[in-house]
């Protein structure tokens, strides 16, 4: 009887097979995707105005620092300025009230996550004074991704314009001297400067005609230092972390690890106690709501007061372009 013994070798792993095929030039590794994550940039219209706000610091002779706050209209390219010796929340509120009294109240205000705007960067579930103020007057705050100042690029450009036209040309010896020069800068910017995107026109020439709502002296007196949480929406543009989460008001919310590196748009409805998460893969597809979380409020939510209600206050989510 003839017996034949076969010695079977273990089957090579898939990774080993791919490595051998690559060495022989038969199999080539697929190059990593170079697709840039789509950024859902807020889109202003003539009836839905969006202002962007930020500050920049400079040193006076002698070492004292000043802070130049600029608010920028994303539609008309208008720019308005306030100079302070600090960047406290009180200074931010003073700057905003001045804009709203002398110019108009926008429908939305885009900001970065500076503690002066956002509130505490450590305490979870905290609604800062600037957020409360915006909601109280019917403005929807929009916070850009953490650590991505370029997403507020329009107002960053306004800083550079101010630096070149003013700071590098005029020498100030005091905070008051810099403050006194603000009207002259605004006059030049609005009526003589031609932003590239306006194609030869000045911001003053393209001011839109729809009705503008201003903060009157009477309304201003109704705004206290301790405001409630008002019914409205707060928007957060966030990049999903490697563990699939995003941060909103110092709390982490799990979205999906599959979306790591992608941008999502989170909208907190204070009166509905709900946090909606929207995602859009590219400009060619529609924005879709992919998750909804209940958001319990630690205090009562008050209705928007009649003087601050506007026809365009409630709108669909086409804010996101």
């Amino acid at each position: 009887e003839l017996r034949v013994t076969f010695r079977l070798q273990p089957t090579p792993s898939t990774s080993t097979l791919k490595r051998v095929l690559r060495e022989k030039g038969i199999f080539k590794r697929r190059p990593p995707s170079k697709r840039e994550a789509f950024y859902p940039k807020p889109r202003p219209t003539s009836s839905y105005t969006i202002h962007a706000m930020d500050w920049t610091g400079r040193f006076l002779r002698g070492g004292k620092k000043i802070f130049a706050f600029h608010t920028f209209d994303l539609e008309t390219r208008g720019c308005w300025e306030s100079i302070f010796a600090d960047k406290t929340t009180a200074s931010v509120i003073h700057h905003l009230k001045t804009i709203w009294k002398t110019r108009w109240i926008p429908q939305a205000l885009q900001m970065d996550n500076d503690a002066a705007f956002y509130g505490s960067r450590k305490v979870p579930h905290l609604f800062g004074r600037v957020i409360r103020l915006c909601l109280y007057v019917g403005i929807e705050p929009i916070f850009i991704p953490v650590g991505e100042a370029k997403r507020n690029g329009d107002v960053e450009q306004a800083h550079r314009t101010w630096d070149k036209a003013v700071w590098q040309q005029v020498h100030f010896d005091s905070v008051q001297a810099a403050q006194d020069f603000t009207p002259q800068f605004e006059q030049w910017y609005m009526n003589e400067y031609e932003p590239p995107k306006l194609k030869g026109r000045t911001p003053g020439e393209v001011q839109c005609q729809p009705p503008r709502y201003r903060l009157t002296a009477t309304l201003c007196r109704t705004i206290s230092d301790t405001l409630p949480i008002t019914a409205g929406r707060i928007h957060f543009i966030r990049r999903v972390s490697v563990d699939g989460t995003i941060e909103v008001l110092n709390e982490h919310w799990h979205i999906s690890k599959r979306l790591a590196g992608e941008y999502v748009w989170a909208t907190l409805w204070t009166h509905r106690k709900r946090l909606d998460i929207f995602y859009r893969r590219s400009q060619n597809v529609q924005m879709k709501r992919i998750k909804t979380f209940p958001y319990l409020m630690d205090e009562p939510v008050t209705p928007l007061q009649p003087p601050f209600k506007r026809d365009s206050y409630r709108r669909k989510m086409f804010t996101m372009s």
Side-chain angles (χ1 to χ4, degrees), residues 8-167:
L8 298 178
Q9 298 295 326
T11 303
S13 66
T14 302
S15 60
T16 299
L17 290 172
K18 288 183 177 180
R19 176 177 57 79
V20 173
L21 292 173
R22 280 198 302 271
E23 291 174 353
K24 299 296 184 180
I26 301 173
F27 174 83
K28 295 183 179 180
R29 187 190 300 274
R30 179 181 299 173
S33 174
K34 295 183 179 180
R35 185 186 72 85
E36 184 177 352
F38 175 77
Y39 183 74
K41 185 178 180 179
R43 179 169 59 87
T45 66
S46 59
S47 61
Y48 189 84
T49 55
I50 302 178
H51 287 176
M53 176 182 65
D54 195 17
W55 60 267
T56 184
R58 296 293 188 276
F59 287 96
L60 297 169
R61 292 177 178 179
K64 189 175 182 62
K65 191 172 185 179
I66 67 167
F67 298 87
F69 285 78
H70 292 121
T71 289
F72 188 87
D73 189 305
L74 297 183
E75 178 71 11
T76 68
R77 322 308 290 177
C79 180
W80 307 284
E81 178 185 80
S82 297
I83 302 288
F84 298 101
D86 58 53
K87 63 178 187 71
T88 61
T89 300
S91 293
V92 176
I93 290 176
H94 186 278
H95 169 70
L96 290 174
K97 285 183 178 180
T98 300
I99 301 300
W100 301 341
K101 286 188 292 184
T102 60
R103 305 298 175 177
W104 58 81
I105 301 175
Q107 275 77 16
L109 178 63
Q110 178 176 282
M111 302 165 279
D112 64 21
N113 301 271
D114 188 290
F117 308 150
Y118 199 66
S120 170
R121 294 293 298 148
K122 297 180 180 179
V123 181
H125 215 70
L126 177 70
F127 291 76
R129 290 177 61 196
V130 172
I131 293 177
R132 290 171 183 263
L133 175 63
C134 287
L135 292 174
Y136 188 82
V137 300
I139 293 174
E140 300 182 350
I142 302 174
F143 290 97
I144 64 174
V146 178
E148 297 189 22
K150 64 181 181 180
R151 302 303 181 183
N152 218 3
D154 290 307
V155 72
E156 293 284 342
Q157 180 59 48
H159 292 333
R160 292 189 288 271
T161 301
W162 169 78
D163 181 85
K164 184 177 180 180
V166 177
W167 192 254

Side-chain angles (χ1 to χ4, degrees), residues 42-45 47-50 107-108 140 142 233 235 265 269 310-320:
R43 179 169 59 87
T45 66
S47 61
Y48 189 84
T49 55
I50 302 178
Q107 275 77 16
E140 300 182 350
I142 302 174
R233 301 186 299 193
H235 307 288
W265 181 297
W269 304 74
R310 287 164 280 176
D311 294 338
S312 60
Y313 176 69
R314 290 285 177 247
R315 69 195 296 264
K316 296 181 179 179
M317 296 305 295
F318 59 83
T319 300
M320 301 170 284

Side-chain angles (χ1 to χ4, degrees), residues 124-127 229 296-300:
H125 215 70
L126 177 70
F127 291 76
I229 298 176
L296 300 180
M297 308 297 290
D298 298 329
E299 58 186 279

Side-chain angles (χ1 to χ4, degrees), residues 93 97 129 133 136 219-228:
I93 290 176
K97 285 183 178 180
R129 290 177 61 196
L133 175 63
Y136 188 82
L219 289 177
C220 197
R221 285 193 291 269
T222 69
I223 302 176
S224 67
D225 292 334
T226 55
L227 292 173

Side-chain angles (χ1 to χ4, degrees), residues 75-77 193-203 205-206:
E75 178 71 11
T76 68
R77 322 308 290 177
Y193 177 62
E194 299 174 354
K197 291 187 178 180
L198 295 187
K199 299 179 180 179
R201 295 180 296 170
T202 67
E205 292 173 335
V206 298

